[in-house]
Amino acid sequence: MSMNNLAPKSPFLDATSFPVTESESLSDTNEVFSFLHSVSPFTSTYENQLGIPESPESEEFSVLLSELYNDQFDESVFQLIAEARELVESQISQSAFPDQQELILSEHFAPLSVELEGLLTDMEIKLSEYDLDSMTTREIDDFVDSFQMRQSYSPGFEGFWGSIKKALKKGARFVKNKAKKLASKAFGFVLKKVAKFVKPWINKIVKYAINKLPKKYRPLAKTLAQKMGLTKELEEHLAADDSIANVDQFQMEFNVLLANLVTSPPDAQQDLIIAEINVDSESSVDSEENYYLAREQFVEKILNDDEQVEPEKLVEEFIPAILPIVKTGMKLIGRKKIVNFIAKRMARLIAKFVGKKNAYPLSKAITNAGLRLINLEATDQDAIQLAGEAVASVVESAVRQIAVLPDYIIDNENLLEGYLVEAFESAAASNLPDILPEETYLQRPNLREAQSHGATWLLQPLHGRKFYKKYSRIYQKKLSPHRLRHVITYNGLNLSELLQEQYGLKPGENIDAKIHLYEMMPGSSLPQLSRLETATRGLGNWGNTAYSQLHPLTHEAAEYLLGEPGLGRSVEPRYLRDRHTTGIGQRFYYIELPANRIKRKTCSSDLGLTFDFPRKQFRASLFISELLAQNLALKLRQNQAIGLVVSELIALLEQRLAYLLSNFYSNRIRIIHGNIDIRNRQNANLLYLNQIQRRNFSATILENLGRGLHKYLIEQKNLFLENVADSADGVTFVMTVRNSPGLQQLENALLGIPSSTYMEEGIPDVNVTNIAGKASD
């Protein structure tokens, strides 16, 4: 019996007609996707790599590096990059004049480079008039804050300088404690070196914004690894990983430089670090540009009427452009025999869609599946173009699924063929409207993502480069707070609480809303998606932070919001840390509320934890939103029992704490330790902290913080009420707990050391303060 007779059979091979009906049916199904973006080279360099510092100097470096981290720094860099991309998109096409992109951005950012270099130089000169050793912490902060930008710049520029100043304050305090009488001179040296660093550093941000930054940062990563005793582990990691540049690497570069400058004696190594920042753009890998160019060519040829078009050749040419943007796809590069095998089988599966005459019925199916619901200006020619784009999406989605298969499957043609058909069916169902008879879908329900029909994923924007997909059905839903409480978004916030605080919804109020669904394409970002959604109220031109209203569409969110869990996507934990990094195929939703609901400029309640192992303490920074703070203050003014107020605070703490302790990758957790880097969170060996230990530690934290809050409100009730009455948004409780039971077990878990289930004894010391507004961690 021949191999062909044994080959798995797919219903798509018999898709000779397109049964489009008046009911506008479509199909979607599960798509197993890979992610383009991964953690920063610096993050992954230390991830799960535990080194023992060889000297007090390296321990100082590690601890200071942890203390310097500030999540607002990453946010300010992200805003700069979003601002840069918006500038480029508004002036020239993404696909034309690539050299002009860098020129435009270099000119835009030149004033920032000059301004920062000048401010740092002025700070160095002015510092010579002061005795840093005799200055208090408040005086140091006031000194740094006195240097303001001379001109009015964009919020992105201002926030960037503000983040740099926060780091400089911590660096100055460290130098003061270490250098004593020579502190002013020593920190002046630091400022001089940082001033030299600014221009090439900003130039790298420019290159990142236009996707021209090289993937790997070996020199600076090696410097950092040497400081932490991880050289061998770094080399092994770089050999196995193909990490791409990530937004948080820019803060890491600045912090590495600053920590190295203030913990090491002046030497040539520091000049070397600065030189390493200046990366030659010629070494960049334009894998995304190559991918988009190859995709355009593939679509163009798919829609060609030439009878000589060979589907197998088209797929063979397209696959090599897909693999470099898939981290795990690198193992297929250069394996021509396997690529050819995949291309040959894939060509058979797409043969029914090749040629303009075959694209036409597919385009009609796309139109009937809702194209004109979200693109009122769409023409028949646009629909035909989208048909070709949809076929390209099927091929690349299937290839991404195949690329993550283990070697034993890829190297076995019999096994690979079966998985290839499965991957194709999954990809086709996620990117094509209904093209099979209804009875086929009844027999194979897995070929549809959603129980409800009549929609499909459409590439957007309609004209030009495609940055994302939008689901053609916009769901009309009545949202209840009971369901919304189960929908968790970034930082463990639930939607019920979020909508109450940001839109003034009452706790038990139901509300009518429209829910828009999106899926990310390679190289795209949420700010880009938000800006391009000009027809959606609340996005488009509604401000440069409108993207903050986009939330991850997990299976759980899709179930509670839509009743369609299949439309959600599972994501790796790092993609839920913040909105800075998104993966190919990751899905999001946006809730469009009625026009009379205006978003308020307010922050949501939040919890940040800092585990400071050298000082044997942890710190909890609990921010209470303005809405909750006013409600608590009202109860206190009415002389209700303080226990009622404390119980609400403990309930909030319990919810946030449960999320953070089960999601150590969150940027709301900081770790200060000589042997553990701040970013060593995602896979922090917490399996060593078993369920009993985790439960006991959480209970201990809650007990300590609850007692501290109760004591504070009894003794400082009036101060709390004064802070709530302040014009600042909300209030923050800063609670420091020293000698807490369970802290040693947590340290052991992070270091990968098993420890007893029973927590060590200890008498914790809890100190609580309260300030108006949101405190910096």
Side-chain angles (χ1 to χ4, degrees):
M1 187 176 290
S2 68
M3 175 70 185
N4 288 336
N5 291 333
L6 289 172
K9 188 164 180 66
S10 169
F12 288 97
L13 287 171
D14 298 322
T16 55
S17 64
F18 297 78
V20 180
T21 67
E22 293 300 321
S23 61
E24 300 181 347
S25 61
L26 86 138
S27 74
D28 301 279
T29 193
N30 290 331
E31 171 191 3
V32 181
F33 63 91
S34 308
F35 295 104
L36 165 65
H37 295 297
S38 65
V39 290
S40 155
F42 302 103
T43 304
S44 51
T45 294
Y46 331 117
E47 200 167 11
N48 287 332
Q49 308 294 339
L50 302 174
I52 304 300
E54 298 176 354
S55 67
E57 176 188 305
S58 61
E59 185 168 0
E60 283 182 340
F61 172 86
S62 301
V63 171
L64 180 58
L65 188 63
S66 297
E67 292 181 337
L68 285 173
Y69 176 75
N70 171 17
D71 62 316
Q72 287 303 311
F73 204 149
D74 288 343
E75 181 64 26
S76 66
V77 174
F78 188 63
Q79 289 286 350
L80 272 188
I81 291 167
E83 180 181 305
R85 287 176 175 168
E86 182 177 13
L87 177 65
V88 168
E89 290 163 13
S90 67
Q91 296 199 22
I92 60 177
S93 167
Q94 284 284 330
S95 59
F97 312 115
D99 293 338
Q100 290 187 27
Q101 296 180 15
E102 188 168 351
L103 177 61
I104 289 172
L105 291 187
S106 295
E107 291 177 351
H108 175 70
F109 281 98
L112 178 62
S113 298
V114 172
E115 181 80 42
L116 295 186
E117 189 173 353
L119 287 168
L120 290 164
T121 301
D122 291 348
M123 193 180 296
E124 176 209 345
I125 295 171
K126 190 70 175 178
L127 183 63
S128 63
E129 302 174 10
Y130 290 81
D131 178 11
L132 185 60
D133 182 43
S134 64
M135 295 171 69
T136 64
T137 297
R138 178 63 181 270
E139 288 171 338
I140 291 174
D141 291 352
D142 289 344
F143 171 76
V144 175
D145 283 334
S146 68
F147 291 87
Q148 302 292 332
M149 287 187 161
R150 302 175 182 86
Q151 300 180 36
S152 177
Y153 291 101
S154 69
F157 280 21
E158 296 282 353
F160 191 62
W161 173 233
S163 295
I164 291 174
K165 289 197 292 185
K166 284 184 179 179
L168 291 176
K169 291 173 187 176
K170 293 179 180 178
R173 295 172 205 155
F174 187 93
V175 171
K176 162 188 159 63
N177 295 330
K178 182 178 180 180
K180 302 299 181 183
K181 296 296 182 183
L182 297 175
S184 293
K185 184 176 181 179
F187 195 61
F189 168 82
V190 170
L191 292 171
K192 183 180 293 185
K193 295 295 184 181
V194 173
K196 289 183 180 180
F197 165 84
V198 165
K199 185 175 181 179
W201 184 45
I202 292 177
N203 187 47
K204 286 183 71 173
I205 296 176
V206 168
K207 295 181 190 299
Y208 179 93
I210 56 175
N211 299 315
K212 288 187 66 177
L213 197 58
K215 287 187 175 184
K216 292 181 178 177
Y217 296 85
R218 294 172 184 259
L220 191 60
K222 284 185 176 179
T223 298
L224 182 55
Q226 289 167 357
K227 295 287 289 187
M228 301 184 75
L230 302 174
T231 305
K232 180 181 178 182
E233 290 85 347
L234 169 69
E235 291 174 353
E236 292 174 352
H237 170 77
L238 288 177
D241 185 45
D242 190 49
S243 300
I244 68 162
N246 201 359
V247 169
D248 60 4
Q249 71 121 45
F250 295 107
Q251 176 180 185
M252 183 59 76
E253 285 185 339
F254 184 89
N255 290 351
V256 166
L257 175 73
L258 185 59
N260 197 63
L261 286 170
V262 302
T263 59
S264 306
D267 58 26
Q269 183 191 25
Q270 292 158 353
D271 287 322
L272 179 62
I273 293 176
I274 295 172
E276 287 166 354
I277 300 300
N278 198 2
V279 176
D280 183 2
S281 63
E282 294 303 317
S283 64
S284 66
V285 180
D286 295 324
S287 57
E288 286 178 13
E289 288 297 325
N290 293 337
Y291 156 76
Y292 276 110
L293 179 61
R295 183 188 173 97
E296 289 174 8
Q297 293 173 347
F298 179 84
V299 172
E300 181 181 346
K301 292 175 181 177
I302 280 285
L303 299 177
N304 198 318
D305 279 328
D306 188 352
E307 298 267 343
Q308 303 301 316
V309 172
E310 300 177 20
E312 184 177 336
K313 185 177 180 181
L314 294 184
V315 179
E316 278 183 10
E317 293 173 348
F318 190 24
I319 290 177
I322 300 171
L323 296 176
I325 66 172
V326 184
K327 180 180 175 183
T328 52
M330 302 302 288
K331 64 184 178 184
L332 292 179
I333 293 178
R335 303 176 72 174
K336 187 171 178 59
K337 181 181 178 181
I338 294 176
V339 170
N340 289 347
F341 178 86
I342 294 171
K344 184 175 182 179
R345 270 56 180 181
M346 194 81 69
R348 290 178 57 230
L349 291 162
I350 69 167
K352 298 295 182 182
F353 310 118
V354 175
K356 195 168 185 178
K357 65 179 181 180
N358 291 329
Y360 180 73
L362 178 57
S363 72
K364 296 297 291 183
I366 290 174
T367 299
N368 288 345
L371 168 61
R372 293 199 174 108
L373 291 177
I374 62 173
N375 290 112
L376 298 179
E377 76 279 15
T379 64
D380 289 342
Q381 184 56 43
D382 292 328
I384 290 175
Q385 180 69 23
L386 282 176
E389 295 278 5
V391 176
S393 294
V394 171
V395 172
E396 66 177 272
S397 176
V399 169
R400 292 204 312 269
Q401 294 178 57
I402 294 166
V404 303
L405 294 173
D407 287 338
Y408 81 90
I409 293 176
I410 290 176
D411 293 332
N412 184 314
E413 290 188 355
N414 289 342
L415 288 174
L416 179 59
E417 182 146 17
Y419 278 92
L420 192 152
V421 169
E422 184 180 334
F424 179 87
E425 291 181 352
S426 172
S430 289
N431 291 283
L432 302 180
D434 281 354
I435 60 173
L436 302 174
E438 183 62 25
E439 64 183 42
T440 302
Y441 293 114
L442 292 175
Q443 294 171 2
R444 299 275 306 278
N446 62 302
L447 294 179
R448 277 179 171 153
E449 290 182 315
Q451 297 178 33
S452 56
H453 311 154
T456 190
W457 293 94
L458 301 172
L459 282 92
Q460 298 294 304
L462 187 60
H463 303 115
R465 174 178 288 191
K466 311 304 179 186
F467 287 98
Y468 62 97
K469 301 174 188 176
K470 182 169 184 176
Y471 201 50
S472 60
R473 177 178 179 182
I474 300 171
Y475 284 84
Q476 303 273 351
K477 291 288 182 179
K478 183 178 287 292
L479 303 179
S480 71
H482 304 289
R483 278 188 168 270
L484 293 179
R485 274 199 292 269
H486 296 283
V487 183
I488 305 301
T489 184
Y490 294 103
N491 286 325
L493 294 173
N494 70 69
L495 284 188
S496 179
E497 178 184 354
L498 197 66
L499 295 179
Q500 286 176 40
E501 293 172 343
Q502 295 189 347
Y503 290 91
L505 269 66
K506 296 177 182 177
E509 180 182 4
N510 294 336
I511 189 166
D512 293 315
K514 296 178 181 179
I515 303 177
H516 304 254
L517 309 182
Y518 305 97
E519 183 176 306
M520 304 303 288
M521 291 281 286
S524 59
S525 66
L526 291 181
Q528 284 176 310
L529 188 161
S530 175
R531 284 196 302 272
L532 293 169
E533 274 292 289
T534 54
T536 302
R537 192 176 58 81
L539 298 179
N541 299 320
W542 285 70
N544 60 3
T545 60
Y547 69 90
S548 65
Q549 302 305 302
L550 292 161
H551 306 276
L553 185 68
T554 60
H555 291 299
E556 293 79 10
E559 166 64 27
Y560 282 106
L561 289 174
L562 314 171
E564 296 282 9
L567 289 175
R569 283 290 179 263
S570 296
V571 295
E572 295 181 23
R574 63 176 176 265
Y575 294 101
L576 292 177
R577 195 177 75 181
D578 53 44
R579 293 178 175 85
H580 302 162
T581 304
T582 56
I584 303 175
Q586 186 174 359
R587 290 180 178 176
F588 292 85
Y589 64 90
Y590 164 67
I591 298 178
E592 180 185 347
L593 296 181
N596 62 342
R597 297 290 185 174
I598 306 300
K599 185 178 183 298
R600 303 187 297 187
K601 292 184 178 180
T602 184
C603 298
S604 300
S605 298
D606 189 22
L607 175 67
L609 292 175
T610 299
F611 294 102
D612 189 340
F613 293 103
R615 297 184 180 89
K616 299 185 183 303
Q617 66 182 33
F618 72 85
R619 184 169 63 254
S621 179
L622 179 64
F623 172 71
I624 308 298
S625 70
E626 182 68 18
L627 178 65
L628 179 56
Q630 292 293 347
N631 288 339
L632 296 178
L634 178 62
K635 292 180 179 180
L636 290 176
R637 292 191 187 99
Q638 293 174 341
N639 291 320
Q640 294 188 31
I642 287 179
L644 291 175
V645 174
V646 174
S647 67
E648 284 197 45
L649 292 174
I650 290 178
L652 177 62
L653 275 170
E654 187 172 17
Q655 178 199 49
R656 294 290 190 272
L657 191 62
Y659 174 81
L660 290 180
L661 291 184
S662 61
N663 296 276
F664 246 65
Y665 55 83
S666 171
N667 60 11
R668 302 303 294 133
I669 287 183
R670 295 180 60 210
I671 298 170
I672 299 176
H673 195 291
N675 298 351
I676 305 171
D677 176 65
I678 168 99
R679 304 301 180 86
N680 189 9
R681 295 182 295 239
Q682 183 184 339
N683 295 310
N685 289 317
L686 288 183
L687 290 177
Y688 285 103
L689 194 64
N690 63 42
Q691 188 174 5
I692 296 175
Q693 291 172 323
R694 191 189 303 268
R695 184 183 62 203
N696 291 342
F697 187 45
S698 178
T700 299
I701 291 177
L702 281 175
E703 179 183 350
N704 291 334
L705 298 183
R707 286 180 177 176
L709 287 169
H710 185 254
K711 180 181 178 183
Y712 178 86
L713 288 175
I714 288 176
E715 297 176 352
Q716 303 290 342
K717 170 184 170 181
N718 291 334
L719 180 57
F720 171 75
L721 294 175
E722 288 176 13
N723 288 333
V724 173
D726 191 277
S727 59
D729 181 35
V731 296
T732 303
F733 285 102
V734 180
M735 299 163 280
T736 303
V737 182
R738 297 180 178 85
N739 300 317
S740 172
L743 200 58
Q744 184 61 57
Q745 288 175 314
L746 178 60
E747 181 179 13
N748 289 344
L750 291 169
L751 289 167
I753 302 171
S755 58
S756 169
T757 299
Y758 300 99
M759 290 188 296
E760 68 278 6
E761 297 294 327
I763 301 176
D765 175 31
V766 185
N767 178 60
V768 179
T769 60
N770 182 260
I771 62 172
K774 192 168 187 177
S776 176
D777 292 339

